[in-house]
Amino acid sequence: MPGAIYAEGLVKTFGDVRALDGVDFDVPEGSVLGLLGPNGAGKTTAVRVLTTLIEPDSGRAEVAGLDVVKHPNEVRRSIGLSGQFAAVDEYLTGRENLQMVGQLYQLSGRDAKRRAAELLERFNLQDAADRTAKTYSGGMRRRLDLAAALVVSPPVMFMDEPTTGLDPRNRQALWEVIEELVAGGTTLLLTTQYLEEADHLADTIAVVDHGRVIARGTSDQLKDQTGGDVVELVVHEREHIPLAEEVLRRLGDGDTSLVEHTRKLSVPAAGGAKLLAEVIRELDARGVEIDDIGLRRPTLDDVFLSLTGHTAEDEAAGTAGEEDGQAGTKAAGKRAATEGDK
């Protein structure tokens, strides 16, 4: 039986671009699926299909047991959505924005006010509650937008890169909110560029590239596919990077990766601690000074690199958005709650 979120063979094209090319996944009720992939991989397109904002060209999708094409209004009443870009009414106060969303979801005036107050406190916005949203910083708008997605407690939530633009403290606060939601039975599909976020929150991870799911599993399962331990080091002098790369290529057990601006190199290390000692001796013999070196398990960034050919850090430093036309996604999702009654 399909889970709370189900996709089978989803295809969506925009002109010559095949944004989804047969996407499949199944999210059991009360669990979290982390959707990872490069910008342009199709993550946001999949979210927009599943939240009824666009229709697929072919394939099938169900949310909360409802077909997203045949029963879009019913689906909209069963979901919450936070898109990539904050979509709030800048001429309303923070409190008024949340109360408006509550009333769109047909809460009573009293309940809408109570829920707004709860969320303003939870997202540390109570001091700015009665200021217009146009006076908010970017991070504050993002928090208000996320609060609006949680005015009701829907059985299914979609969060498209929800913590982009949040500082570490507010990111951690949102993680706690997500954990509370899931503990209460909410099913969540989460797209993110922060791999530690997926590692921390997701029960299952699906890696998407070129509109297809190219790998799926738990965090540990995906890491095991990448290999064993990894030797990671930071070179002191930038001009010594080529020498260090040569040593790692010769002694390591796979391709080396480099994060240029931090001078960090890593390579799979089948030999474990023995290999680490050999690398240190060889670097010392060649006069390569290092600031740090260690042996660690593979991370999701290693998985991302092995599957897509580049790190998520490189990806995040590139284009900021995945597809055009996403800025209105959240606002459309809020309005959608009442469309079936018109």
Side-chain angles (χ1 to χ4, degrees):
M1 183 176 178
I5 305 172
Y6 177 75
E8 180 183 1
L10 289 182
V11 173
K12 183 65 181 178
T13 58
F14 298 96
D16 295 332
V17 178
R18 200 171 178 87
L20 298 179
D21 191 19
V23 165
D24 302 286
F25 50 73
D26 191 0
V27 189
E29 186 175 341
S31 67
V32 181
L33 173 69
L35 211 56
L36 301 182
N39 287 323
K43 304 184 303 295
T44 295
T45 299
V47 169
R48 295 174 73 192
V49 168
L50 291 164
T51 54
T52 78
L53 294 174
I54 58 175
E55 290 190 5
D57 298 331
S58 61
R60 184 166 69 94
E62 293 183 1
V63 174
L66 299 162
D67 188 289
V68 300
V69 174
K70 296 178 180 177
H71 306 289
N73 292 327
E74 290 83 353
V75 169
R76 292 164 188 164
R77 296 190 188 98
S78 302
I79 65 174
L81 167 64
S82 175
Q84 279 191 20
F85 302 96
V88 299
D89 190 323
E90 63 179 14
Y91 293 103
L92 297 179
T93 67
R95 190 185 310 278
E96 288 168 343
N97 265 282
L98 298 184
Q99 289 177 188
M100 176 187 69
V101 173
Q103 290 170 339
L104 285 174
Y105 277 103
Q106 300 181 349
L107 296 182
S108 68
R110 178 180 295 179
D111 287 344
K113 288 180 180 179
R114 177 185 53 79
R115 185 60 175 154
E118 290 174 355
L119 289 167
L120 288 165
E121 182 176 1
R122 173 175 279 188
F123 283 89
N124 196 27
L125 289 169
Q126 62 269 38
D127 291 341
D130 298 310
R131 284 168 38 196
T132 56
K134 66 181 178 181
T135 67
Y136 285 17
S137 67
M140 292 169 69
R141 289 189 185 208
R142 188 63 176 143
R143 280 182 277 151
L144 180 61
D145 183 68
L146 290 163
L150 300 173
V151 168
V152 296
S153 300
V156 180
M157 278 289 302
F158 295 88
M159 292 188 172
D160 195 6
E161 301 192 19
T163 59
T164 299
L166 296 185
D167 60 42
R169 180 171 65 103
N170 284 306
R171 185 177 301 151
Q172 182 64 46
L174 179 61
W175 287 4
E176 293 172 2
V177 170
I178 290 173
E179 289 170 338
E180 290 174 13
L181 284 171
V182 176
T186 298
T187 305
L188 173 64
L189 188 150
L190 169 78
T191 79
T192 180
Q193 289 285 357
Y194 298 108
L195 298 181
E196 75 274 16
E197 190 161 89
D199 213 353
H200 183 83
L201 295 173
D203 299 297
T204 307
I205 295 168
V207 182
V208 180
D209 201 15
H210 299 294
R212 288 181 173 273
V213 175
I214 59 174
R216 76 186 82 205
T218 66
S219 175
D220 286 340
Q221 288 170 342
L222 291 176
K223 291 173 185 176
D224 289 343
Q225 290 179 23
T226 304
D229 294 329
V230 174
V231 169
E232 188 172 83
L233 61 88
V234 177
V235 179
H236 183 69
E237 299 289 345
R238 193 171 298 278
E239 57 265 30
H240 286 159
I241 288 176
L243 274 176
E245 282 186 301
E246 181 185 333
V247 170
L248 292 182
R249 276 197 300 269
R250 184 164 54 82
L251 297 179
D253 192 40
D255 295 334
T256 62
S257 65
L258 167 66
V259 180
E260 181 72 35
H261 69 280
T262 60
R263 308 182 307 283
K264 182 187 292 184
L265 289 158
S266 60
V267 70
K274 181 179 178 181
L275 176 63
L276 180 63
E278 291 179 18
V279 169
I280 292 172
R281 283 196 297 268
E282 185 68 20
L283 291 173
D284 185 58
R286 288 174 173 253
V288 177
E289 186 178 351
I290 55 176
D291 292 336
D292 192 22
I293 189 168
L295 190 68
R296 60 166 176 77
R297 284 203 66 207
T299 66
L300 282 180
D301 213 350
D302 298 315
V303 173
F304 202 94
L305 173 64
S306 68
L307 292 172
T308 67
H310 49 76
T311 67
E313 187 169 318
D314 293 336
E315 186 62 38
T319 54
E322 183 179 304
E323 293 136 359
D324 293 335
Q326 295 168 9
T329 294
K330 177 64 183 298
K334 291 176 184 175
R335 291 193 297 270
T338 59
E339 282 188 6
D341 300 321
K342 293 181 179 178

